[in-house]
Amino acid sequence: MESQEFRRFGKEVIDLIADYIENVRDRNVLPSVEPGYLLKMLPEEAPEQPEHWHDVVKDVHNTILPGLTHWQSPQFHAFYPAGHSYASILGSMLNDGLSIIGLSWKASPVCTELEVITMNWFGKLLGLPEEFLNCSPGPGGGVIQGSASESTLIALLVAKDKTIRRLNIVDHIDDEDEIKPKLVAYTSDQCNSSVEKAGLLGSMKIKLLKTDANGRLRGETLKKAIEEDKAMGLIPCFVTATLGTTATCAFDPLYELGPICNRENVWLHVDAAYAGPVFMCPEYRHLMKGIEYVSSIVTNPHKWMLVNFDCSAMWLKDGRDIKRAFDVKRIYLDDTENNLNIPDYRHWQIPLGRRFRSLKLWTVMRIHGAEGLRKHIRSQISLALHFAKLVGADDRFLIEPEPSMGLVCFRLKDGDKTTQQLLENLTRKKKIFMVAGLYRTRYVIRFVVCSALTTKEDVEYSWDVIKIETDLMYTNLIHTLPQIKTMDEILSREMYEKLQ
Ligand SMILES: *Cc1c(COP(=O)(O)O)cnc(C)c1O
């Protein structure tokens, strides 16, 4: 493609994207395709002859868009948000257009330096202790990774390396193979799947400790587990606490876990993938009380902070740990000696190559400003509370636990089976998309305010869809009443009769 064509087609693509976003509300949030649909529509071989861009665009409309689940639809309430903003897309385009790979400072000085600056900006916005920032006099610093999963794996690997070094020096255990099988990591039974996976990938036993009634990992529980394991000759090494769990958005008390980890020489990593940006608003900072005990923390601007996937922000209190763990020397990769605390980021990550991800973090922070970002967070929380108010006014439903951030968990009083049926019916109709969670072994539906386009009217529309589906379910039940046997079903009969 020639540059003249690129200019023309590029503008058309921008229009296509803006049209898509402006009208995404009118589409069903879930697509109507069967598995394998695309295999039937696209040729089996790559084209031999170059094709025209407009033929590609035709296929985008006919074959690509129909297979999308519309994450930016205001009726998308599943999982957690996929960050999106025009400012971020423009930053991503610049990244693609400038086409650099920042594998060392010299490979593109700005790639390292803008990352240092944006991570300082973002860390300050969150109110992180200064020692985590590159601009502090100490060895701390921030880095952008691709995902929270990657960040957590990195933290675990660094903790493993650090523990082995300490035992080498302090306890004079030279045989690594003697140490490694004894290392053990801890997290809670509410952890994200990626935390468990980090244990698998990093070959470390990982224990999912039981949470309290509110889904939080408590200090006493951790202390007891560590004591028991030490008594059995195991070596506690790594703890992941969660600020904003995936199921119910619970916050582990760092002020309880932190002192135990510090005392035991255990690395405390914080997974705040979704909820982290809330700390931009000072009224929520009490939820990270104890952050000063932490060794590393990750949060995803690509979830709740209007930055497009992928952009995962990770800070370490001591960047020397990561460099010691991951440093592999090669003559063609000369490290820049500097006393400005400018890190060689290739030692801070798994791949060698790095994307210029800070560009989109930079464009988003500049175009929205801290004020705009805080407003976004607060407005999404208030939309979630509005939804909770609507659900709470319908006595067929129960909200449990308390809404947290942009998440409201609710269920039918009738029981798990009916709640599950409701979610299945709603998903089949494709108008709104939510997924299930577990709260104290009860089946709940998770409603998350995800799209930045969501308005109060959208939330009311989503609630209307849920309410109508529920009405329909109870009306249908009457036809099947004679066969009803289980307690849930009897309850639903009572519920139904009460409604009459
Ligand atoms: C979303 C999420 C993750 C996974 O994030 P990725 O960036 O997709 O790896 C991990 N932990 C929590 C708490 C999450 O909400």
Side-chain angles (χ1 to χ4, degrees):
M1 190 183 289
E2 302 293 327
S3 105
Q4 281 311 319
E5 287 177 312
F6 171 66
R7 284 175 194 276
R8 190 150 53 88
F9 301 151
K11 282 162 196 155
E12 289 173 16
V13 170
I14 301 250
D15 281 337
L16 188 157
I17 295 170
D19 287 343
Y20 169 75
I21 293 294
E22 281 171 16
N23 299 307
V24 68
R25 184 178 274 108
D26 303 332
R27 296 174 184 262
N28 278 348
V29 57
L30 285 163
S32 298
V33 293
E34 298 298 325
Y37 89 99
L38 195 58
L39 296 172
K40 293 196 195 107
M41 295 179 91
L42 294 187
E44 281 178 25
E45 313 293 334
E48 187 63 34
Q49 298 301 322
E51 296 189 71
H52 195 279
W53 177 253
H54 283 156
D55 291 328
V56 176
V57 171
K58 228 177 276 162
D59 277 352
V60 169
H61 285 290
N62 296 335
T63 64
I64 304 297
L65 296 186
L68 288 179
T69 296
H70 302 288
W71 282 68
Q72 302 312 323
S73 160
Q75 271 72 52
F76 184 101
H77 302 297
F79 316 116
Y80 274 137
H84 158 90
S85 65
Y86 291 132
S88 174
I89 295 173
L90 294 178
S92 292
M93 283 173 59
L94 277 171
N95 172 25
D96 277 353
L98 302 176
S99 313
I100 59 115
I101 298 180
L103 43 86
S104 63
W105 181 87
K106 203 175 277 167
S108 233
V110 66
C111 183
T112 300
E113 297 200 9
L114 189 65
E115 188 157 328
V116 166
I117 293 166
T118 50
M119 286 299 288
N120 285 337
W121 283 10
F122 184 30
K124 286 182 193 174
L125 283 186
L126 295 178
L128 290 183
E130 206 203 359
E131 56 188 325
F132 287 98
L133 309 182
N134 291 93
C135 52
S136 70
V143 58
I144 302 178
Q145 310 283 2
S147 64
S149 312
E150 220 176 304
S151 305
T152 299
L153 172 62
I154 288 169
L156 179 136
L157 294 174
V158 178
K160 186 175 179 179
D161 178 77
K162 191 173 182 176
T163 305
I164 292 170
R165 274 173 209 276
R166 177 170 54 83
L167 296 177
N168 284 162
I169 297 165
V170 181
D171 297 347
H172 308 290
I173 309 175
D174 293 328
D175 188 3
E176 284 189 15
D177 294 336
E178 199 183 310
I179 302 172
K180 281 180 182 167
K182 292 184 188 157
L183 296 176
V184 49
Y186 308 87
T187 185
S188 86
D189 56 16
Q190 297 297 305
C191 75
N192 185 267
S193 58
S194 59
V195 180
E196 212 175 327
K197 192 169 177 182
L200 279 178
L201 295 173
S203 307
M204 198 185 296
K205 266 186 279 301
I206 183 155
K207 302 201 169 173
L208 308 189
L209 304 177
K210 207 166 153 14
T211 47
D212 71 7
N214 297 312
R216 310 187 314 155
L217 174 60
R218 305 302 299 266
E220 273 307 310
T221 312
L222 177 67
K223 187 160 162 258
K224 199 159 151 264
I226 288 181
E227 276 164 8
E228 282 172 11
D229 284 345
K230 276 170 54 182
M232 296 193 13
L234 296 176
I235 306 168
C237 173
F238 183 71
V239 171
T240 299
T242 312
L243 297 183
T245 57
T246 307
T248 63
C249 203
F251 289 73
D252 289 341
L254 301 182
Y255 53 89
E256 288 183 12
L257 305 172
I260 300 167
C261 293
N262 284 193
R263 201 165 51 237
E264 300 286 344
N265 269 317
V266 167
W267 184 289
L268 178 55
H269 172 67
V270 170
D271 176 3
Y274 161 69
V278 84
F279 303 126
M280 289 192 292
C281 308
E283 66 270 28
Y284 294 103
R285 291 208 184 131
H286 63 276
L287 293 169
M288 65 168 178
K289 186 176 158 210
I291 189 75
E292 65 278 6
Y293 295 109
V294 161
S295 303
S296 57
I297 172 168
V298 60
T299 185
N300 286 342
H302 72 227
K303 274 185 169 158
W304 206 13
M305 218 184 89
L306 304 176
V307 177
N308 283 62
F309 193 79
D310 53 358
C311 180
S312 179
M314 179 190 198
W315 289 270
L316 293 111
K317 198 183 261 171
D318 191 341
R320 290 171 307 191
D321 293 331
I322 197 167
K323 186 168 173 185
R324 276 188 209 113
F326 292 170
D327 190 357
V328 177
K329 295 223 183 312
R330 285 291 181 279
I331 193 161
Y332 49 84
L333 294 171
D334 62 324
D335 290 355
T336 309
E337 291 301 326
N338 69 77
N339 48 21
L340 290 172
N341 223 356
I342 295 174
D344 263 304
Y345 276 137
R346 71 190 162 85
H347 305 308
W348 291 55
Q349 61 170 13
I350 292 172
L352 173 58
R354 349 190 48 244
R355 288 154 61 82
F356 195 176
R357 292 191 184 96
S358 59
L359 265 176
K360 58 189 171 185
L361 190 54
W362 187 59
T363 50
V364 166
M365 285 196 276
R366 292 192 60 182
I367 297 303
H368 292 267
E371 197 180 287
L373 293 172
R374 281 187 214 110
K375 200 169 139 209
H376 166 67
I377 298 288
R378 289 183 180 128
S379 101
Q380 294 227 313
I381 294 174
S382 77
L383 287 172
L385 291 175
H386 183 59
F387 177 78
K389 205 178 80 195
L390 296 170
V391 180
D394 187 325
D395 62 11
R396 294 172 295 183
F397 288 94
L398 208 64
I399 295 178
E400 245 186 5
E402 285 289 299
S404 174
M405 306 303 139
L407 170 68
V408 182
C409 297
F410 66 100
R411 59 187 171 90
L412 281 160
K413 286 178 186 163
D414 253 7
D416 292 354
K417 236 175 98 183
T418 327
T419 309
Q420 186 173 357
Q421 188 63 55
L422 172 63
L423 183 60
E424 277 169 18
N425 292 355
L426 287 166
T427 307
R428 209 173 317 115
K429 296 196 176 152
K430 308 177 195 300
K431 292 289 175 201
I432 64 174
F433 184 28
M434 302 176 289
V435 293
L438 279 183
Y439 175 67
R440 297 186 194 173
T441 73
R442 296 306 301 259
Y443 183 100
V444 295
I445 301 178
R446 293 169 74 263
F447 174 97
V448 188
V449 178
C450 285
S451 168
L453 306 172
T454 315
T455 62
K456 201 169 162 215
E457 289 69 37
D458 290 316
V459 167
E460 284 165 3
Y461 171 82
S462 292
W463 167 242
D464 282 344
V465 172
I466 296 168
K467 198 162 49 111
I468 289 166
E469 191 57 48
T470 311
D471 292 345
L472 275 176
M473 265 176 58
Y474 284 123
T475 324
N476 286 343
L477 268 175
I478 196 152
H479 303 299
T480 54
L481 279 180
Q483 296 91 40
I484 281 176
K485 299 218 173 47
T486 70
M487 182 56 85
D488 274 352
E489 286 160 334
I490 295 164
L491 273 174
S492 48
R493 174 186 211 153
E494 283 172 9
M495 291 290 301
Y496 183 76
E497 281 164 1
K498 234 186 286 167
L499 283 173
Q500 298 304 297

